Amino acid sequence: MNDIATTAGNTHPMISMTGVEKWYGAFQALKDINISVAKGEKIVLCGPSGSGKSTLIRCINHLETYQKGEIRVSGTVLGHQAKTIDAVRREVGMVFQQFNLFPHLTVLENCMLAPLRALKLSRQEAEGRARQLLERVKIAEQADKYPAQLSGGQQQRVAIARALCMRPQVMLFDEPTSALDPEMVKEVLDTMIGLAEEGMTMICVTHEMGFARQVADRVIFMASGAVVEEAPPAEFFSNPKHERTRKFLGEILGH
Amino acid sequence: MNYTLDFTPVIEGLPSLLTACLGTFTLAICGMLLATVIGIGGVVLRQSKIAPLRWLVIVFVELIRNTPFLVQIFFIYFALPLTGIRLDPTPTAIIALGINGGAYAIEIIRGGVQSISKGQMEAGLALGLHKGQVFRLIILKPALRAIFPSLTSQFVLLTLTTSIASAISAYELTSVSQRIESDSFRSFEVYFTVTIFYLVISWLMMRLFALFSARYFAYPVK
Amino acid sequence: MGRDEFLFLLIGLKWTVALSAIGFVCGCLAGLVIALLRTSGMRPIERATAGYIALFQGTPLLMQLFVVYYGLALIGIKMDAWAAVAVGLTLHASAYLGEIWRGGIEAVPRGQTEASKALALSYSSRMKDVLLPQALRISLPATIGFLVQLIKGTSLASIVGFTELTRAGNIISNQIFQPLTVFGIVGMLYFIMCCPLTIYGAYLERKFAASAR
């Protein structure tokens, strides 16, 4: 199922952020962010709460605005006009901490809504896609239930399928397992690992360090709105360079 | 007092009273539909980026909520012809009811929209839907569900308010009962009976809303 | 519109204020009784008051005024139109305020009742000193909202034939043939009375909502 990562020209990085800065009034939330993500690359973003990691990925699909710098998504400059923003959002899937499934629509309808309305697919095509992807996150038998009838883990897998129905080139995960009961974390992580193995470009904000070790090409550590350190996971975990990174890892890994 | 109650004129007038109930229903249902349209449209304008549009909605809502319906219906009754629109009392009453109910509906529906978590809006936007699509397809239904009980009582009140349309002689229950009363002078008997009619009508309206709610908002929530 | 016409409207306004005040004050007293009966814990009495409330909330105020107006005459009580309207508005207000305050009483946490029972407070002390002060505070925004409703409701007295603000407007309008000017001014006079109350009610609601957090 390689249709998810469509073949695009490899000349551009999938995502590039250059000199991105963001303020909330006087408070600077992002400081001079320069990140480039190649096609098929998997990035794990971590850092203490309030470090700006969620804000950063939310800038990529323009859920947050930024005041300085430039963000390109597969070569397109993400301007502030509605047209380019919509175009980018169709290419970038996002999974939220709180799932954000639509309560009044069934699982199947949740998955079909955007393909029907934003991509203008036919009903048949949208339904085919939705069923296929629900199958893939192993939840096809729940297609006609409503979100409130599912467990948290099931809801988050539906949310992943819903995002994949747009056939995005990039997937953003904003703490996808933080709101889950511990016994449900694995099913969601397994789904994400499967997606990574198929070559999806992914940026994940998460504290699941096991997941980072297993799938990340690079781990980026942020603190106080700035990128402090980035390294391949092996190096990041065994030989962190900055004091802040060491302190964070000590706290999160409990040693 | 040796007054004896005499319901004969009421019984004789029963057919015309019952038909007049249809008039009341027509006013109420059409008024509610118009109020809903104004309510939803008003909420959209109230969230507009253009400040004067937002102010316009606020002024409209406060003007309507802080003046009596009777004064509003007189004003509209006399104002419409000046704008070149000549309407019968019944459509005039529907417009007045819709405008009045719409102002309340704006405030109620706005409360519902605000009760929907920001994440719903973000999830819709992240999927590439426009703001308008997000409002229409994602926000509106859960928002209406959240405030449906308040909307129901507001619309039952609108149903009862149709009686004031008798002031401009629209065709409905109160104006017909006034005619029977002035023909028979059995004031208490007529108005007592009609009061019971209204009680049944408002009960029916509540049932109607409950049925609608059970069908339209059937999805489960936690 | 001349000075005399405007003065005539102001006389009407005076009666609107008087009717509203009488209806509200008497309605508050009667409404308190209704609210206490509605929460008395005695099933038949609770049922009866619930029926009373449903009757007034399920029928138009205009019909209530008609029935009271002609009903009082029927049982031999001769009254001026304004007094009959005042009685009608009082009954109307008692039902609505009774329901609002019932909600307030029921919104006071159960522990308050239990604590005051444990302190051996009598029913009257429990209500007067513990429950009602809290319940009325909770219901204050809704109570003010109803007062606005009542002020606007007094306009229906004009249909019964009593010359308050709206009927004064009708009379002037028929004299000078400028209905839009007259009803515009009449509307503004109501607005000046109601709007400060609405704003105050909304302010209280926000304040309570903030302190509940």
Side-chain angles (χ1 to χ4, degrees), chain C residues 64-108:
Chain C
Q64 293 162 20
L65 295 182
F66 278 148
V67 169
V68 169
Y69 185 70
Y70 294 109
L72 284 174
L74 204 70
I75 54 173
I77 302 173
K78 273 257 164 267
M79 264 190 183
D80 288 339
W82 80 267
V85 170
V87 172
L89 288 172
T90 299
L91 294 176
H92 177 81
S94 72
Y96 273 84
L97 291 172
E99 177 66 6
I100 290 171
W101 294 339
R102 173 196 69 88
I105 291 171
E106 286 179 355
V108 177

Side-chain angles (χ1 to χ4, degrees), chain B residues 3 5 62 65-68 70-71 74-75 78-79 82 104 160 163-164 174 178 181 187-188 191 195 198-199 202, chain C residues 55 57-60 62-63 66-67 70-71 74 152 155-156 158 166 170 179-180 183 187 190-191 194-195 198:
Chain B
Y3 184 92
L5 291 174
E62 293 311 330
R65 290 203 306 177
N66 290 299
T67 52
L70 185 58
V71 174
F74 280 141
F75 193 88
F78 291 115
L82 295 182
Y104 289 93
L160 300 176
S163 69
I164 302 176
T174 301
Q178 281 171 325
E181 186 257 354
S187 317
F188 179 80
Y191 292 135
T195 300
Y198 275 111
L199 202 56
S202 57
Chain C
L55 180 68
Q57 293 197 332
T59 55
L62 181 57
M63 278 300 138
F66 278 148
V67 169
Y70 294 109
L74 204 70
K152 295 187 289 174
S155 67
L156 298 187
S158 66
T166 303
N170 258 324
L180 287 192
F183 285 113
Y190 278 107
F191 185 82
C194 295
C195 197
T198 304

Side-chain angles (χ1 to χ4, degrees), chain A residues 204-217:
Chain A
C204 311
V205 172
T206 182
H207 290 157
E208 296 292 337
M209 291 301 134
F211 172 80
R213 266 184 232 266
Q214 192 179 343
V215 306
D217 297 310

Side-chain angles (χ1 to χ4, degrees), chain A residues 126-224:
Chain A
E127 184 172 339
R129 226 185 241 200
R131 290 205 185 274
Q132 182 196 3
L133 286 159
L134 286 171
E135 185 76 47
R136 156 121 173 244
V137 300
K138 301 192 178 62
I139 208 156
E141 71 285 358
Q142 316 277 18
D144 295 320
K145 287 200 176 161
Y146 286 93
Q149 294 166 313
L150 304 183
S151 73
Q154 290 173 320
Q155 289 193 53
Q156 195 60 300
R157 282 185 285 145
V158 172
I160 294 172
R162 179 176 74 177
L164 290 177
C165 280
M166 296 294 285
R167 304 235 166 116
Q169 302 198 45
V170 187
M171 285 286 284
L172 307 175
F173 291 85
D174 189 2
E175 306 207 25
T177 55
S178 302
L180 294 175
D181 292 334
E183 71 272 21
M184 291 170 187
V185 170
K186 189 175 177 302
E187 59 186 87
V188 171
L189 287 181
D190 285 346
T191 310
M192 291 166 63
I193 291 167
L195 201 59
E197 284 166 355
E198 281 165 33
M200 174 63 81
T201 312
M202 294 164 68
I203 303 181
C204 311
V205 172
T206 182
H207 290 157
E208 296 292 337
M209 291 301 134
F211 172 80
R213 266 184 232 266
Q214 192 179 343
V215 306
D217 297 310
R218 254 189 302 159
V219 180
I220 297 178
F221 174 71
M222 286 182 74
S224 316

